[in-house]
Amino acid sequence: MDDIEDLVVGAGAPPGFRLPLSSVGVNLKKKRSDKFYQTQDSPSPKIPGTQTIYIKTFGCSHNQSDSEYMAGQLSAFGYSLSDNPQEADLWLINTCTVKSPSQSAMDTLIAKCKIAKKPLVVAGCVPQGSRDLKELEGVSIVGVQQIDRVVEVVEETLKGHEVRLLNRKTLPALDLPKVRRNKFVEILPINVGCLGACTYCKTKHARGHLGSYTIDSLVGRVKSVIADGVKEIWLSSEDTGAYGRDIGVNLPTLLNSIVSELPPDASTMLRIGMTNPPFILEHLKEIAEVLCHPCVYSFLHVPVQSGSDAVLSAMNREYTESEFRTVVDTLIELVPGMQIATDIICGFPGETNEDFAQTVSLIKKYNFPQVHISQFYPRPGTPAARMKKVPSAVVKKRSRELTSVFEAFTPYNGMEGRIERIWITEVAADGIHLVGHTKGYVQVLVVAPESMLGVSAIVKITSVGRWSVFGEVMETINHKNHKSASRKDSGEDIFSPCSNACESYECTREPEPCACCGPESCLGQTNLEEESAASRNSMFPEDLNNRYLIGWLLRKRKNHANKRVEGEIASGSKRKQEWTQGSIGEWSVVDKALLGGMLTSFFAIMALLILLGMRSLSSN
């Protein structure tokens, strides 16, 4: 096996660096709009830099960002990118080591690649944390902190060399070329690694100790992606709350610096990534203040893993169940409309029935809208792998029980009829609906043209489901430069910076004066909803049907169709639905009979009234 450092010695410029990155533009030719990566026609594979690359990503959003950076560099150097492995000249697999199923899927894909006799590069946490795996024999590897050299690794692999680049160095630059999976969403890694030492975690072996990007570099990246038209920025890391402790700063300082650069009309939103309880405990009020900001989603992912202090201690999670409750209670109290997601591991070694019951009790107390439930998987080389395991049948039973408890929640009941501002960023799996999110990051499905992607809109929630809600677009929000001096000259109100928007303005029936915060962000939300209910009937004539039986029947049929669509979207179905907004859907015999009876009665009454009128006239 050759090492890449030896391969390029004495050869002048490394093969992957024929041109400076800044001088190469990414100009991809679209093949299909719904593809992950866009493709180009590929010339002869014998010419370096002209081959087609298939990229497959497993794992978290940080891994997704790494893949987007690697795709960007390969595209910048002329490589085509395809989501069809058969037409590719080389496969690049970005791996995840968190769970056994993810690594098993990686093993299967590697085996398929070898059978297809395709050159292969494996990236991500698996090779970085377990470089001596049998499955990785004869395979080129690029480490998690060497993604900025992926072009070198690919070129040498295509020449027939096996190369490995795993030694850690400084963090990859944030301004590398990037091909985003969703052009409206920037996944921004703020740090790598963590300060924890959880007994079950293999990721620490791969990502290592905490390494934070500087505030200046992150703010610079934010400015750049906003200029590119990005509408959501996701801060990502193995533990967002630990940010900056290695360089003498903290998360609130970073968040305030980023928020100050967001457009004051809230056309670009910030989503804060997963944070473990120990570090956010120190900054709860500061974090809550940022989450209240109109340009920041009121949503946070805070893993608890177990409701039992005994299990948390065995996991070495460095907090108690009571401290987790403090985090949740404080955020719910201080942040209007706060939504919190959490994680649970079922069947951790030593977990008793009583421990599990405490976990169930915790989940029931808060009715979390999102709970990621996993069975315990022993990861090789971790302390937990050597602990006495809970029988697999018991683990599965507990997982099913907790899943049943969670799926019985109805977190979005009460939202029907509300007026919300949403940010629309993607097409749903059914290919019909667009997906938007409220400030609380509730998923809203709307029927609208794809031209509304990247747009913010005011919607009326028409029905709710288990995993999302359905809405009707009332009007879109036109984003303007509210700092323009010309508005002042024209006598119009000038908006203050976004951070003070909700303190400086009252929401009115017109969304534009409140474009900075949206109806759901303002203190006058209840008044807005009450006023809208009375004032918007002229805009929506169908609401007049609410007092009539036919209107009721139509709404019931529509809600039924919504639930069916939501179920198919939640299950990942990509089958097109014969459904459009406002349609009646499939009518049962009872429905047809009921409607027919009502129409018959209506015409009979009308005929009787006409007959009585004619008799009255003839008698006169």
Side-chain angles (χ1 to χ4, degrees), residues 542-574:
E542 66 272 19
D543 288 351
L544 297 175
N545 290 332
N546 291 348
R547 292 170 289 178
Y548 299 100
L549 186 58
I550 293 178
W552 172 84
L553 178 61
L554 292 173
R555 292 196 309 278
K556 292 292 285 184
R557 297 305 303 168
K558 183 176 176 181
N559 290 345
H560 173 72
N562 284 349
K563 290 178 180 179
R564 185 180 64 215
V565 171
E566 186 207 28
E568 293 177 356
I569 291 174
S571 64
S573 170
K574 296 186 181 297

Side-chain angles (χ1 to χ4, degrees), residues 101-407:
S102 296
Q103 191 160 329
S104 297
M106 175 209 75
D107 295 342
T108 301
L109 197 58
I110 288 175
K112 288 181 178 179
C113 186
K114 290 180 177 179
I115 292 172
K117 296 182 179 180
K118 300 278 189 177
L120 174 64
V121 175
V122 177
C125 293
V126 171
Q128 189 74 65
S130 306
R131 62 185 70 186
D132 296 325
L133 281 177
K134 182 179 179 180
E135 290 77 9
L136 298 178
E137 292 180 1
V139 173
S140 291
I141 290 173
V142 58
V144 295
Q145 292 188 28
Q146 301 281 11
I147 61 171
D148 54 349
R149 298 183 65 181
V150 67
V151 175
E152 297 175 62
V153 178
V154 165
E155 290 206 346
E156 294 301 331
T157 302
L158 285 167
K159 293 176 184 177
H161 298 123
E162 177 192 345
V163 295
R164 297 195 169 199
L165 194 59
L166 289 167
N167 294 332
R168 291 190 175 89
K169 55 167 191 170
T170 57
L171 298 177
L174 292 172
D175 59 354
L176 296 170
K178 198 171 192 180
V179 176
R180 299 185 189 90
R181 178 172 185 168
N182 184 332
K183 69 177 183 179
F184 299 111
V185 177
E186 167 73 5
I187 304 172
L188 179 60
I190 63 173
N191 55 264
V192 300
C194 68
L195 296 175
C198 299
T199 56
Y200 57 84
C201 183
K202 185 76 173 177
T203 304
K204 180 70 176 278
H205 295 196
R207 294 287 182 178
H209 200 65
L210 181 68
S212 302
Y213 286 95
T214 65
I215 290 179
D216 287 344
S217 65
L218 292 166
V219 169
R221 180 66 181 177
V222 166
K223 292 179 180 178
S224 173
V225 301
I226 291 174
D228 285 344
V230 161
K231 300 303 178 183
E232 284 187 6
I233 300 172
W234 298 359
L235 302 186
S236 178
S237 75
E238 283 63 57
D239 186 357
T240 302
Y243 169 80
R245 289 170 177 263
D246 57 321
I247 57 174
V249 293
N250 57 38
L251 181 61
T253 303
L254 171 66
L255 294 177
N256 286 318
S257 298
I258 290 177
V259 164
S260 66
E261 299 297 333
L262 297 177
D265 60 359
S267 56
T268 299
M269 295 292 288
L270 181 70
R271 194 184 85 172
I272 304 174
M274 184 273 290
T275 178
N276 287 310
F279 302 113
I280 195 175
L281 274 166
E282 298 180 23
H283 307 291
L284 271 180
K285 291 186 177 180
E286 294 94 332
I287 298 296
E289 185 176 348
V290 173
L291 290 167
C292 286
H293 193 286
C295 301
V296 181
Y297 285 119
S298 304
F299 170 84
L300 199 61
H301 178 194
V302 187
V304 63
Q305 306 298 8
S306 175
S308 163
D309 285 345
V311 174
L312 291 174
S313 178
M315 291 177 172
N316 195 29
R317 289 291 289 170
E318 300 181 343
Y319 59 86
T320 64
E321 182 260 4
S322 175
E323 289 173 326
F324 173 80
R325 287 176 183 256
T326 297
V327 171
V328 176
D329 291 340
T330 302
L331 292 178
I332 290 175
E333 177 186 357
L334 298 180
V335 183
M338 183 70 196
Q339 299 281 315
I340 295 176
T342 195
D343 299 346
I344 295 292
I345 296 176
C346 289
F348 188 82
E351 183 185 65
T352 65
N353 288 333
E354 182 180 355
D355 294 328
F356 178 68
Q358 291 173 359
T359 298
V360 173
S361 176
L362 178 69
I363 297 302
K364 284 183 176 180
K365 172 179 172 58
Y366 290 106
N367 283 8
F368 295 108
Q370 297 181 36
V371 180
H372 309 113
I373 301 170
S374 301
Q375 298 175 29
F376 170 73
Y377 295 102
R379 306 305 294 134
T382 62
R386 300 188 296 271
M387 298 178 182
K388 185 177 179 180
K389 299 177 181 59
V390 176
S392 59
V394 175
V395 176
K396 292 178 181 177
K397 178 177 179 295
R398 290 175 181 172
S399 176
R400 287 195 297 267
E401 180 180 339
L402 188 59
T403 299
S404 178
V405 168
F406 165 63
E407 290 184 346

